[in-house]
Amino acid sequence: MTVAAVLLAASPDRALADAAGVPRIRRIAAAAWSGGATPIIVVVPDPDGTVALALSGASVSMVEPVAVEAGPVGQIVRGIEAAVDEISATAAVLIWPARMCWVGPETVTSLVEAHGLHPNSVIRPTYHGTPGWPVLMPLAAASTLRDLSPVAMPDELIASLIAIGIPDLTLDLGDPGTVVDGDTDRSALPAYEGPGEPSRTPEWGAVVAATPDDAPLESPPTAGS
């Protein structure tokens, strides 16, 4: 079972916005990898290569977005296709807007584990009852996603999938980063409470998690290269 992460940013500025001294997109990539998501696909325009530079050494693949007219759904589908091209056994994807940069790796692990028990469900993390991000979507729902409105925002897309009958599961994981975005300083986040029951700590991603963000490693590959 492989669960990918599709990281979405509408512009380089949004991807590179500061998150406690680290570009948002890099912090998210580290959390996704440490939590057990693979592959990690970054869908963001990067005409000057600044996002690729910020992700140097991270275990991610970058892909060019589709035309703006395709809307958020088009970008999500682009990321899903890239994930499947990279690992054909991909069973689900974490849809992850770049503004949600405070999510902890344990939340990713919990979502991946829950997918193993509920493989056909859209799984959303909650914090004090409020649904948040990233949202885990089973790959089986991707064909339905393609038919949704290009003007719908990500939260509306998830609501539409649930409304047409895709099973829905919410998990209170006690992570304020699932509902509080990067516009809030990390020091102002509510307390992290964690899931009700401890999750296993995955071995994969441990090396990356321990690697400094400024380590001089290779630049990320481009999907399909």
Side-chain angles (χ1 to χ4, degrees), residues 141-203:
S143 58
T144 303
L145 183 71
R146 295 173 189 272
D147 297 329
L148 300 182
S149 171
V151 300
M153 298 306 291
D155 56 341
E156 296 172 317
L157 294 172
I158 298 302
S160 294
L161 288 175
I162 295 168
I164 62 180
I166 303 297
D168 174 36
L169 174 68
T170 58
L171 298 175
D172 192 346
L173 298 179
D175 184 351
T178 60
V179 297
V180 180
D181 65 22
D183 288 340
T184 297
D185 189 82
R186 191 180 188 184
S187 63
L189 286 178
Y192 177 84
E193 300 164 5
E197 297 181 0
S199 297
R200 298 186 304 274
T201 300
E203 295 179 1

Side-chain angles (χ1 to χ4, degrees), residues 100-116:
M100 308 306 296
C101 58
W102 302 131
V103 177
E106 180 62 27
T107 291
V108 176
T109 303
S110 295
L111 292 170
V112 171
E113 291 178 350
H115 172 66

Side-chain angles (χ1 to χ4, degrees), residues 23 27 32 35 51 53 61 79 82 109 124 130 151 160 206:
R27 182 172 292 278
V51 179
L53 182 62
S61 295
T109 303
R124 297 179 291 169
T130 300
V151 300
S160 294

Side-chain angles (χ1 to χ4, degrees), residues 43-57:
V43 185
V44 57
D46 191 27
D48 300 325
T50 51
V51 179
L53 182 62
L55 286 168
S56 178

Side-chain angles (χ1 to χ4, degrees), residues 3-224:
V3 175
V6 174
L7 282 47
L8 304 162
S11 69
D13 286 346
R14 294 188 184 184
L16 299 173
D18 180 74
V22 179
R24 285 182 184 177
I25 202 71
R26 182 161 189 118
R27 182 172 292 278
I28 294 170
W33 178 253
S34 298
T38 186
I40 300 170
I41 307 297
V42 178
V43 185
V44 57
D46 191 27
D48 300 325
T50 51
V51 179
L53 182 62
L55 286 168
S56 178
S59 295
V60 305
S61 295
M62 293 182 60
V63 299
E64 285 290 326
V66 295
V68 174
E69 292 75 18
V73 66
Q75 311 310 329
I76 294 171
V77 170
R78 174 74 173 107
I80 293 171
E81 291 173 343
V84 173
D85 285 345
E86 189 163 329
I87 298 181
S88 60
T90 298
V93 297
L94 293 166
I95 301 171
W96 200 326
R99 71 179 189 277
M100 308 306 296
C101 58
W102 302 131
V103 177
E106 180 62 27
T107 291
V108 176
T109 303
S110 295
L111 292 170
V112 171
E113 291 178 350
H115 172 66
L117 298 173
H118 306 276
N120 299 314
S121 295
V122 168
I123 305 175
R124 297 179 291 169
T126 67
Y127 182 75
H128 291 190
T130 300
W133 299 90
V135 173
L136 187 146
M137 187 186 73
L139 202 65
S143 58
T144 303
L145 183 71
R146 295 173 189 272
D147 297 329
L148 300 182
S149 171
V151 300
M153 298 306 291
D155 56 341
E156 296 172 317
L157 294 172
I158 298 302
S160 294
L161 288 175
I162 295 168
I164 62 180
I166 303 297
D168 174 36
L169 174 68
T170 58
L171 298 175
D172 192 346
L173 298 179
D175 184 351
T178 60
V179 297
V180 180
D181 65 22
D183 288 340
T184 297
D185 189 82
R186 191 180 188 184
S187 63
L189 286 178
Y192 177 84
E193 300 164 5
E197 297 181 0
S199 297
R200 298 186 304 274
T201 300
E203 295 179 1
W204 56 86
V207 174
V208 173
T211 301
D213 289 318
D214 57 355
L217 302 176
E218 297 179 2
S219 298
T222 299

